[in-house]
Amino acid sequence: MRSLLGVSGAAALVLALGLPLAAAGPAAAADADQDFVIEDPRITESSGLAASRAHPGIYWTHNDQDAPLIYGIDSRTGKTVATLTMKGVGTPRDMEAISVGPDGNIYVGDIGDNLDGSWNHVWIYRFPEPKELGDQTVKATQYDVKYADGARNAEALMVHPKTGRVYIASKNEDGGGLYAGPERLDPTRTNVFKRIGEVPWVTDGAFSPDGTRLVLRGYLLAKEYAWKDGRLADDGTSVGAPFQGQAESVTYTPDGSAFLFGSEGKQSRVVRVERGGGQPTGPTSPGDSKKPGGGTGSAATGTDGEQGNFTVGVIVLGLATVVVVGLKRLFRKG
């Protein structure tokens, strides 16, 4: 998403003021599937994240953009080790999400709609995950998608790791919906996604590798849900997501033991959070040393990770709002 009214601008001001966000800096861990910083200067709006099935330690991402480019990032170094150019598809409008399916294919959701229903259809692209890393062109299949209850904005696309069914979570300030696609996508017709559940404001989501859980994140909060028989099986458990400003992505590590949370911005940090840990651990600034076994998230200390993050987020955004109002008044006086 390029702009949520007030949020991206506020996040920029917060950064300028030195207020606490998930800090960017050198990659902190030499091991795979730990915290890392996306070093590629081309990646300024990382809007989706998916663990590779074919290449351990590699994570696929893309910009929130209209260019058909997918990047493979090595989590050990933060360096781009593959740039994939999709061919066989039209010009993307608003790519927001990425997932790897059990069929060995990468799925990309061109599903954003910042005007909340201005497009009567959106697209999903699918192509085989490359066997070898490196810059290459990949032939992709394009699928037309509509929602049974009308057009809407969405930023989360999840492919179930066992059934291969594609799900989309829509995004709305009053709460979104969880939509299930047909059993198999068909490139020759419109694929209708049907609402099967209610979800909060969602910017990304992912299934656990065993398919029994679904994590959904927003700008301030994240929840993990039990998944059974193609449905949400509970009301979700709070996850201690780091406060990252323009928080746009989440995925599981390949073994399902932890989450990786990402955000937009130059040299954005991807933060590891252990499952069931309540909140990420470790220092938050690039100058701090990394604690063994912990991420470098910036959740507030407390007994409830979600409440801590919410409080930090409200304080930060509140301060940024005060700054914005003050600057406007100053310019008016001038």
Side-chain angles (χ1 to χ4, degrees), residues 136-179:
Q136 55 197 285
T137 298
V138 293
K139 181 173 176 53
T141 302
Q142 179 170 310
Y143 301 92
D144 285 353
V145 168
K146 287 187 177 182
Y147 303 96
D149 54 357
R152 58 204 60 247
N153 189 22
E155 294 191 16
L157 176 145
M158 299 78 63
V159 181
H160 194 272
K162 302 300 182 183
T163 67
R165 197 165 205 150
V166 182
Y167 297 84
I168 294 174
S170 68
K171 175 181 170 183
N172 187 281
E173 62 185 15
D174 296 323
L178 182 63
Y179 292 82

Side-chain angles (χ1 to χ4, degrees), residues 36-59:
F36 63 94
V37 171
I38 298 176
E39 300 286 356
D40 194 326
R42 298 172 297 175
I43 306 173
T44 58
E45 294 182 293
S46 176
S47 193
L49 195 66
S52 169
R53 282 175 167 256
H55 307 286
I58 303 303
Y59 287 82

Side-chain angles (χ1 to χ4, degrees), residues 102-156:
D103 55 0
N105 285 284
I106 294 175
Y107 293 72
V108 181
D110 188 359
I111 55 177
D113 186 345
N114 290 334
L115 297 180
D116 287 321
S118 60
W119 296 323
N120 63 3
H121 73 280
V122 291
W123 298 309
I124 293 173
Y125 311 123
R126 183 184 67 133
F127 58 87
E129 184 172 14
K131 295 180 180 179
E132 302 292 336
L133 295 172
D135 296 351
Q136 55 197 285
T137 298
V138 293
K139 181 173 176 53
T141 302
Q142 179 170 310
Y143 301 92
D144 285 353
V145 168
K146 287 187 177 182
Y147 303 96
D149 54 357
R152 58 204 60 247
N153 189 22
E155 294 191 16

